[in-house]
Amino acid sequence: MDRAYVAIAAVEVPAQSDSDLFGRLARKLPFSLELSQKAAWDYQIKHLRELASMLPSAYFFLEFLIPRMGRRVDLVVILRGTIFVVEYKVNKSHVDRPDLNQVYGYALDLRYFHESSDNRPIAPILVPTKSDCLDTPELTRDRDNIFRPIGISPSQLAVVIGEISRISSAPPLDPIEWAAGRYRPTPTIVEAAQALYRGHDVEEISRSEAGAENLSRTGSYIGQVIESAKHQSRKAICFITGVPGSGKTLAGLNVAAARQRSHEDEHAVFLSGNGPLVDVLREALVLDALAQSREMGQGALKVEEQRRAAAFIQNIHHFRDDALASFKAPIEKVTVFDEAQRAWDVEQTAKFMQQKRGHIDFSKSEPEFLLGVMDRHDDWCAIICLVGEGQEINTGEAGIDEWIRVVQKSFPHWLVHLPPTMSHWRLIEGTILAPELHLATSIRSFRAERLSEFVDQVIKGHAAIAAEIKGGLPNYPLLITRNLDTARQWLRHQRREIERAGLLASSNAARLKPHGIFVKARIEPEKWFLAPADDVRSSDALEDAATEFDIQGLELDWTCVCWDANLRYAGDWECWRFNGSKWNTVHDSVRKNYLVNSYRVLLTRARQGMVVFVPQGSRDDPTRQPTFYDKIYEYLRTCGFDIL
C-alpha cells in the first residue's frame, strides 16, 4: 500500500513535466478519474512548481494517505524538521470552519497514530485556491507541538511554511524514513463505517501490528467460510468475540461492505438491534456521501443516500418484521448480527410479539426465529454473530448461549465456527474452532490498550489489581471529582475541534437530577453524536447525558461518567433501583448483572481519557445521603483514579 501517490524532492520537480506528474497520480487512483479531480490535480501540479522554486530544500508528498479516516491529504511538505499538512479547496475563496477541522484532523491523526511524527512540529494549513492575500494568521502551538490550523491564500503558502519552519527550530527529518514510519490508526466506529462504505479496505483504516489482533485476518477467515458455504451449498454461522472496544463492530462492517462490493448478488447486510447505533451510522454515511458529492461538484439527493445507507445497515427488528410478513427466504444471503448477545429470549420475544404484533402464540426466541428465517434458503447462506463479553444490559436479553442451544436443537445441519473463548460448545457436531474469531485487544482507547482490563478489575472489586494496571496507563487520564462543573471544564479544555466529549450516566441514575442530569429525557442520537459543538443537542454541549443504551457500540474521545447511588460500594458492589421516591435493593441476580454491566459499558466508552463525577450528596435529602457516595469515591480512589 503506497503511503503517497507521488513522493518527490523540490530539486527534482523541474525535471518532471506536468503530464509526468499527472500520470503518476492517475496511475495510483483506485477509482475512475472525475473531472473535478483532474482540475484539482492540474492546479496542485502548477502550484507545486511555485513551492519547489521558493522552497528548494523541501520534500513533497502528493495524495498522502491518512489511514484512520480513509482519506488522502492533498499535500504534505517536509521542511527541515517540520511537517506541513496542506489541504487545497479548489475554487473556494474563503475559509470555512469545517474545512479547517478537516485539515486539523489530518494533523492530529499523524500525531496520534504515525510513530515517526511523534513529538515533531506539525502545521495544518488550508488553502482556498481562489482567495487573495488573507490576513496574516496568528501562529499558535498546542500542548503537543501541533500548530492551530490556519487558512491562507496560495501566494502566502511558501512564505508561511518558511516562517513556521524557522520558529519550530526542529532537528532535521529524513522524509523517506518519516513516510516509512509505522502507522497505527484506530478509527472511531463512525469513521470506520464511512471509510468502508466508500470502498476502502480494513487494512487501510485499522492497526495491523500483531499486538492489536489483525482485523484483516478475521475478515479473511470469514470470507473463506462464506465462499466454502457457497460452493458446498451449506449453511454456516460464525461467532466473533472480543473485549470491549476490540473492533467487533468494525469487523462486522468490514464483512458486510466487502461482500457488497465484490458479491452484490449476496445482498450482505449489517443488522443491529441497537437503535442509536443504527441511526448514528446511517446518518453519518448519508452526511459523508453528500459531502463527497459536493466536493466533486456533483449533485446527490439525500433521500437516495438514505435509501442506500438503509440497505447497508438495518435495524434487526425491522428485518424480523419483514420476515413475519412472508414465508419466503429473504434476499440477503449474508447477514451480520451486531451485539448478538442482546437478542431476546423466548419470554421477551413472545411478550413483544403479543403486545405489538398480535401474535398470541409466538413461542420462539429471537435467535431461533432469525436462524429459521435464514434457513429458508434452499442452498446456502451465512450468519456472522458479533458477541460482546459482559455487555448484557437489558431485560430479556438471552445471551449468546441461546444461539448455540438453538443451533444444537433445531439447526444441526448448520456448520458452526467458534472462537476459542466458546470452546465449551465444541461438542456440537460440525463445530470448528478458529483463533481468528476472537479479538483480544482493545483498540478503542489508543492511549490505553489495557483500559478494558482496568475496568474489569474495578467492576470485580479488585482495587489493588486495578491500581496496578492503572500504573501502566501513563497517557490515559483517569480522574475523579465531586464537582460536575469541574468535570465539564476539564472536558472542554481537553477536547479539540474534531474530537467529541460528553456526559454519560446509568439509565437509572435518577438522583443525579439535582445536578441537571435527567436520564429520563431521551437524547437524539444522531444529533448528540454528530452535531457540532454549538448545537445544544450535541454531546459537546455537555448538557444532555447519554445512557448505556445510547452509547453502547459507540464512543467518544473524552467522557465524564456521572455515578449515582444505584451502584454503591460497601466492601462489594450493592445494586439499587430508584422507584417513586426511594431506593430499593435489587435482589434478582439477572437484574444485578444488568446494572453492573451498564457501568462497565459507561466506563469503556472514552478513547483518550475520562473523569468520573461522584456527587457529594446531601444530608437533607434521604435519597442522596453522603454515605451513599463517599464509599464509591473512596473505592475508586483506591483503584487509581486521580483527583481532578
Side-chain angles (χ1 to χ4, degrees), residues 155-279:
S155 61
Q156 294 172 289
L157 183 57
V159 175
V160 170
I161 286 178
E163 175 63 15
I164 292 176
S165 177
R166 183 186 64 80
I167 65 176
S168 294
S169 301
L173 177 64
D174 184 299
I176 304 302
E177 290 184 6
W178 171 80
R182 191 168 58 162
Y183 203 100
R184 305 172 60 195
T186 56
T188 68
I189 195 59
V190 169
E191 291 168 338
Q194 290 172 332
L196 293 170
Y197 192 61
R198 287 187 226 116
H200 292 275
D201 294 326
V202 72
E203 291 89 344
E204 292 184 273
I205 61 171
S206 63
R207 298 164 63 169
S208 57
E209 76 276 12
E213 295 294 331
N214 197 330
L215 284 166
S216 62
R217 290 177 60 240
T218 301
S220 177
Y221 183 85
I222 294 293
Q224 293 171 17
V225 170
I226 294 173
E227 289 300 317
S228 177
K230 182 189 295 187
H231 293 140
Q232 297 177 23
S233 292
R234 297 290 302 270
K235 293 166 183 174
I237 183 169
C238 298
F239 295 87
I240 299 176
T241 58
V243 299
S246 59
K248 297 180 295 296
T249 301
L250 174 56
L253 286 168
N254 180 51
V255 169
R259 302 308 294 189
Q260 274 203 358
R261 286 197 303 271
S262 57
H263 303 275
E264 291 184 11
D265 59 319
E266 294 176 3
H267 300 280
V269 64
F270 182 89
L271 298 169
S272 177
N274 184 338
L277 177 70
V278 171
D279 293 342

Side-chain angles (χ1 to χ4, degrees), residues 526-561:
E526 306 97 310
K527 302 298 182 185
W528 200 83
F529 283 99
L530 302 173
D534 58 2
D535 188 325
V536 296
R537 298 167 296 180
S538 165
S539 68
D540 292 328
L542 302 180
E543 293 189 9
D544 297 323
T547 71
E548 67 272 21
F549 302 114
D550 301 315
I551 196 76
Q552 189 174 39
L554 293 159
E555 65 248 313
L556 300 172
D557 290 287
W558 308 93
T559 66
C560 171
V561 177

Side-chain angles (χ1 to χ4, degrees), residues 518-529:
F518 301 90
V519 293
K520 300 305 179 185
R522 300 300 304 275
I523 66 170
E524 298 178 67
E526 306 97 310
K527 302 298 182 185
W528 200 83
F529 283 99

